[in-house]
Amino acid sequence: MPPQLQGAAQPQEGPGDAADALHILHTLIKPQHGEERWATISWKTDLTQARLQAAAEGKPILLWEMDGHPLGCT
Amino acid sequence: MILENYVPLTGDDWYQRRRQDTEGEFFRQVAAQAGRGKVHENSDGGATRQGVYLFTADGTLLGHTIATRSVERTYQVLQRGLRQWHTLPKDKRQPGAVHVEAPGTHDRRYTRTPPANGLIVHVHARILDKDAHGRWRKGSCDVLGGDQASHDRLWLTEAEWRSLIPPDPKVDTSAQVPAAVLDRMTRYHLVDNTRGEPAMWKPEEVRTRELTLTVTEVTPERVRLQLVGAALMATHSDLAQAERGFDARLEGIIEYDVARQTMSRFDLVAVGHPWGESKLSPRARAGRQPFGVAFELATGDTPANRVPPQGARNMAAYLGTAR
């Protein structure tokens, strides 16, 4: 049997408690502040757009290429 | 910071190495300079080319490393790439020196765009533990990065997300989440992708699933609904023989903005005890350990928000339109 959202089944909880438990667990699972420094970078996802920007600004391109999109898998 | 000297770009190698168009050929010729595959591949794309590539706008390779979690190694490669960049003639580096041609046609087999007027929902998964007081906390494991939240997106078509909102909502009335939506959520998003690419559940591996929508509030401004349900996925009907599985309880809240006629909240949590591991995400924790998945509405039309779901490689199967 899967667990309740709160630590253990708590049938005495009111709707507000259930909402709090949902909020706590929802927040805990999501990326935490400061946990993902890579996510603070404004990554582009379109190769042609990146090439156009690189040409316009006179910069090279850094491509992070993975099986499973780096911004969308793992 | 070294990244200020580069234009940062991400890509999914599964698509890039397969696409038969200008973009795919450009990427493959960059990778080939690093000894990673051939320029001309058939649509199976050949071997993986995942890694970090540093190159000029016209495709001259400056540096490369295979995929690594080593910050030090990556930093050194970035520094070497910059040094290589500065060895190029100045008239090759200055703004406007390189002309980038239009991309031409796109290989639509490997191009994914979110459904028109659809919903994009962030999906994060994380291993969990409990503290001495029985409260949830972040889990720990011996895989570098395996304790962090994973990333994916759930795509819903406009018809699908609108089907979640009753046409004449009344408090305490209930309905089931439509099967197509629940199938997508369970098969493609209740998966363990915290250590690598996950195996998605086959249709027959979703043993039970239900998710009930109950209207809890109706005002002129909004309609709020509670989501409660459960799902069981397992690779064998006899759970004792199933190499992989996940029993999950689901709870959440969604809200509909009446004036804007848009979904304004999509908070859902699935928590349970998955077991087993798949080929590309090995080294799962032993036994059945707590694990959670959180869904949250994506806001803003950013490049990151438009990254397709991992399950969208087979788009027809993902959307349930495959025959």
Side-chain angles (χ1 to χ4, degrees):
Chain A
M1 184 69 180
Q4 301 290 334
L5 295 189
Q6 193 55 276
Q10 296 176 342
Q12 75 280 11
E13 283 184 344
D17 298 318
D20 287 347
L22 171 66
H23 176 72
I24 289 169
L25 198 46
H26 197 254
T27 303
L28 179 65
I29 295 170
K30 292 186 298 181
Q32 313 283 302
H33 180 71
E35 195 176 35
E36 298 180 333
R37 292 181 63 191
W38 59 266
T40 63
I41 296 168
S42 297
W43 295 99
K44 290 191 169 299
T45 57
D46 184 299
L47 175 58
T48 301
Q49 291 301 316
R51 290 179 63 203
L52 287 167
Q53 182 179 336
E57 297 180 359
K59 290 182 177 179
I61 296 166
L62 158 61
L63 169 62
W64 181 18
E65 180 91 356
M66 297 295 287
D67 277 307
H69 201 288
L71 306 182
C73 178
T74 76
Chain B
M1 178 61 195
I2 205 161
L3 278 176
E4 292 172 357
N5 296 301
Y6 287 99
V7 174
L9 170 69
T10 53
D12 186 337
D13 178 53
W14 189 90
Y15 293 93
Q16 295 291 78
R17 71 176 188 257
R18 285 174 167 81
R19 51 192 314 149
Q20 301 296 312
D21 56 14
T22 308
E23 182 172 322
E25 188 162 327
F26 181 90
F27 167 67
R28 289 191 297 272
Q29 71 86 16
V30 169
Q33 294 172 64
R36 305 290 301 276
K38 298 179 292 187
V39 176
H40 299 291
E41 295 274 13
N42 58 28
S43 59
D44 74 359
T48 177
R49 292 163 174 80
Q50 61 182 346
V52 171
Y53 297 87
L54 311 172
F55 54 94
T56 63
D58 59 359
T60 300
L61 186 73
L62 302 170
H64 166 65
T65 179
I66 59 171
T68 175
R69 288 187 178 274
S70 167
V71 174
E72 181 63 25
R73 179 174 175 179
T74 303
Y75 186 75
Q76 289 173 357
V77 170
L78 297 182
Q79 285 184 310
R80 280 203 301 271
L82 269 188
R83 287 197 294 271
Q84 189 67 22
W85 165 256
H86 286 291
T87 66
L88 299 178
K90 196 169 183 178
D91 62 358
K92 296 285 187 184
R93 290 182 278 125
Q94 64 188 14
V98 174
H99 172 70
V100 177
E101 70 278 13
T105 58
H106 291 285
D107 187 341
R108 296 177 65 85
R109 296 171 300 172
Y110 302 109
T111 303
R112 302 287 181 272
T113 53
N117 303 314
L119 210 62
I120 300 174
V121 180
H122 288 294
V123 187
H124 302 288
R126 187 192 290 276
I127 60 171
L128 299 170
D129 282 326
K130 286 184 177 176
D131 64 17
H133 303 287
R135 293 176 299 215
W136 292 115
R137 61 177 172 79
K138 289 193 286 186
S140 61
C141 67
D142 59 7
V143 176
L144 183 62
D147 59 340
Q148 296 193 7
S150 66
H151 292 253
D152 201 358
R153 278 99 189 158
L154 162 69
W155 281 358
L156 297 177
T157 66
E158 182 177 19
E160 288 170 340
W161 73 258
R162 287 193 182 281
S163 74
L164 303 177
I165 310 300
D168 183 21
K170 290 184 171 53
V171 171
D172 289 337
T173 57
S174 296
Q176 290 297 308
V177 169
V181 174
L182 192 49
D183 285 346
R184 192 173 312 148
M185 292 172 66
T186 52
R187 286 189 59 202
Y188 296 101
H189 296 288
L190 297 189
V191 295
D192 183 357
N193 56 356
T194 56
R195 298 174 315 283
E197 292 184 279
M200 305 303 180
W201 300 109
K202 298 173 184 172
E204 65 273 19
E205 291 174 340
V206 180
R207 305 294 167 180
T208 61
R209 83 281 192 276
E210 63 170 349
L211 190 56
T212 303
L213 282 159
T214 302
V215 179
T216 59
E217 182 183 317
V218 179
T219 71
E221 291 78 31
R222 73 179 181 195
V223 178
R224 174 181 286 187
L225 301 101
Q226 183 183 42
L227 289 159
V228 176
L232 172 64
M233 289 69 66
T235 53
H236 196 285
S237 58
D238 177 357
L239 299 189
Q241 297 185 55
E243 293 181 349
R244 289 188 299 112
F246 184 20
D247 56 338
R249 180 180 297 276
L250 294 91
E251 290 190 31
I253 295 169
I254 61 174
E255 291 178 358
Y256 176 72
D257 185 315
V258 175
R260 293 179 175 159
Q261 299 186 25
T262 57
M263 193 74 87
S264 54
R265 182 178 180 186
F266 195 112
D267 289 348
L268 176 68
V269 163
V271 62
H273 296 97
W275 69 93
E277 59 191 23
S278 55
K279 181 181 175 184
L280 298 177
S281 58
R283 300 178 65 194
R285 296 191 293 180
R288 301 188 180 200
Q289 304 287 342
F291 177 84
V293 182
F295 295 73
E296 181 179 50
L297 197 62
T299 55
D301 187 15
T302 66
N305 283 349
R306 295 176 68 83
V307 169
Q310 174 75 5
R313 289 175 175 182
N314 186 338
M315 191 64 169
Y318 183 77
L319 291 179
T321 56
R323 295 181 180 176

